[in-house]
Amino acid sequence: RAIGHVRYLATMEIGSFDAADASLKFGAAAEEAALNTNVVVVGSLERLRDAKDCHKLQRVLEASPDKMQLITSVARAMSAKKDGASARELYLLPEPVETDERSGSVRRVCLIALPSACSRHNSPARPHALTSCLKGNAGPGSLTVVAMLDDPSLAFATGCAIVRAFPTWVAQSSTAAKMQSKKINVIFDAPDNEAIPEAEIAVLSWAARAIRFTARLVDVPCNILNTTEFVNQARVVHALLQSTLQARGEEANAVSLEVITGEDLAAQGFGGLYGVGKAAAHPPALAILKYYPPGTSAADQATIMVGKGIVYDTGGLSLKGKTGMPGMKKDMGGAGGLLGTFRAAVGAGVPKKPLYCLLCLAENAIGPLATRPDDVHTFYSGLTVEINNTDAEGRLVLSDGLAFAA
């Protein structure tokens, strides 16, 4: 099956989202955009049934009172689940004009009622249920999402949950074309028409784009996102943040990137990271991103993030089985998540003290240079370790990263 799909593959590249990603808009920018014919309205069942709020929704949907009555009736007929979200959809015909002909397009409206229960493990925004339900009910093409919030403070969690429902990379050409043309407008509707602060919308925009960027890294297979390409993506983030800092009046060199790769890792004592990745076609690397907010320096207490970036994990000589290996392209998700976090935090101007991001990148491959069980490696800390399972590589690369961070 995989061989049969090769001819349908799109251009094998990762691409990237810049800070002005036009496919995603929040708040006032979304309200100013043209309303899509595909609309999803999400909120608690109480909010969906609230007549007062339906008047606000009426303005957003540009619907007649009769159609709003229909939407309200559908909402009142819905029942909230305890654990998962529920959805109902309806189609609104365009309004007739003086010639008795209908103008415009049929509008799809999907109502998503969030679960009634909220456990101690979940946010009051119910983000997991929202993401899961939206994936299956987003409908075709571009869409407008109207988030009926119980409280303005839930805007950030809700916005992040919405963007997680839309993947940004796939290799199949027909699907990729649809994804690339999809535009998402997110409008927030808080009780009593309370506005979401623009500063919060700005932070959300950076976070949402970082989520999509990270999801893309995790989705891309290792024959594209090898360690060398991962370092290139770190350089893309570095360049983006330099231009962002300049635009807001900071020094561009307040953010920096250092990369230690291949034999230089061994020479500088990173035996754990080097030992895991030395058998691969692309060398292991340690990417070090640093950001110093205005008024801070390297002497100040810092926040340091260390991420595991195993771009593929075969298990090494302690080889995984045929059912255990598929999906191991995701073993770099820790480093991918932290690169996205660094991008969002620095881009939004959140850090008040120095922020470091260490990406420990390697492919746990098989080859003549592969680490063997019984080998002994020396970590950056000076400690030694005897290998008895080459499939326990994560602790080896992170040990070097943590020792360097300390």
Side-chain angles (χ1 to χ4, degrees):
R1 182 181 178 184
I3 294 176
H5 280 178
V6 168
R7 60 177 177 170
Y8 298 112
L9 293 181
T11 302
M12 302 296 279
E13 60 183 14
I14 297 177
S16 62
F17 288 99
D18 60 27
D21 175 16
S23 68
L24 184 63
K25 294 180 180 179
F26 291 97
E31 294 178 31
E32 293 171 2
L35 187 65
N36 295 300
T37 57
N38 183 19
V39 180
V40 175
V41 184
V42 59
S44 65
L45 201 53
E46 292 75 13
R47 286 280 284 151
L48 295 179
R49 291 173 173 174
D50 194 318
K52 177 182 65 174
D53 291 329
C54 282
H55 289 301
K56 301 177 187 177
L57 188 58
Q58 179 178 352
R59 293 194 295 272
V60 171
L61 292 177
E62 301 172 348
S64 67
D66 288 343
K67 290 180 178 177
M68 286 308 303
Q69 181 62 41
L70 175 61
I71 293 174
T72 304
S73 299
V74 172
R76 289 175 179 170
M78 296 174 68
S79 58
K81 298 180 181 178
K82 183 177 180 181
D83 299 321
S86 57
R88 296 288 186 277
E89 65 177 13
L90 60 155
Y91 293 84
L92 304 181
L93 295 174
E95 297 292 339
V97 294
E98 294 180 358
T99 58
D100 292 331
E101 296 179 355
R102 297 188 182 276
S103 60
S105 304
V106 174
R107 179 165 291 159
R108 173 187 180 268
V109 179
C110 179
L111 305 180
I112 295 180
L114 297 176
S116 57
C118 178
S119 75
R120 62 188 178 90
H121 302 292
N122 203 357
S123 159
R126 281 77 164 174
H128 294 85
L130 172 53
T131 300
S132 177
C133 193
L134 190 54
K135 282 182 179 179
N137 293 279
S142 299
L143 78 158
T144 296
V145 181
V146 181
M148 311 284 283
L149 305 174
D150 287 339
D151 188 272
S153 64
L154 302 180
F156 186 85
T158 300
C160 290
I162 289 170
V163 299
R164 279 199 298 271
F166 304 102
T168 59
W169 190 92
V170 70
Q172 198 168 14
S173 298
S174 58
T175 306
K178 294 176 183 177
M179 288 169 50
Q180 291 168 2
S181 62
K182 196 178 192 75
K183 298 185 183 300
I184 306 165
N185 297 324
V186 182
I187 299 173
F188 296 111
D189 187 354
D192 301 321
N193 205 26
E194 188 171 351
I196 310 299
E198 284 301 315
E200 184 172 345
I201 294 294
V203 175
L204 171 58
S205 295
W206 274 99
R209 286 168 175 81
I211 288 171
R212 288 159 66 84
F213 171 76
T214 297
R216 173 170 288 199
L217 295 181
V218 174
D219 285 341
V220 172
C222 182
N223 63 317
I224 303 173
L225 185 70
N226 48 55
T227 53
T228 302
E229 180 57 32
F230 206 131
V231 169
N232 289 339
Q233 291 299 309
R235 291 193 174 102
V236 168
V237 170
H238 175 238
L240 168 64
L241 294 178
Q242 281 193 316
S243 62
T244 301
L245 295 184
Q246 285 183 313
R248 68 176 184 228
E250 295 183 38
E251 294 292 332
N253 61 7
V255 62
S256 63
L257 170 64
E258 177 186 359
V259 180
I260 307 172
T261 186
E263 296 301 320
D264 288 339
L265 285 171
Q268 296 184 40
F270 294 93
L273 179 55
Y274 176 75
V276 170
K278 64 181 180 177
H282 295 271
L286 178 65
I288 308 158
L289 292 127
K290 303 177 183 179
Y291 170 60
Y292 296 103
T296 67
S297 69
D300 296 323
Q301 185 180 32
T303 298
I304 305 178
M305 306 182 295
V306 183
K308 172 186 172 183
I310 305 299
V311 294
Y312 201 83
D313 182 15
T314 66
L317 293 181
S318 302
L319 187 65
K320 293 180 183 291
K322 65 177 182 179
T323 58
M325 198 182 300
M328 283 297 105
K329 66 177 184 178
K330 300 177 182 178
D331 217 16
M332 43 58 64
L338 292 188
L339 181 58
T341 300
F342 187 86
R343 166 185 167 146
V346 176
V350 172
K352 302 304 178 187
K353 58 183 181 180
L355 178 65
Y356 299 162
C357 178
L358 279 59
L359 309 177
C360 305
L361 308 176
E363 179 184 351
N364 191 14
I366 294 177
L369 299 179
T371 290
R372 298 163 290 264
D374 296 334
D375 282 0
V376 176
H377 293 317
T378 303
F379 288 142
Y380 187 81
S381 64
L383 296 176
T384 56
V385 60
E386 180 181 359
I387 307 300
N388 55 32
N389 178 10
T390 63
D391 197 19
E393 81 295 332
R395 66 201 71 183
L396 302 181
V397 302
L398 287 175
S399 293
D400 273 346
L402 290 170
F404 182 79

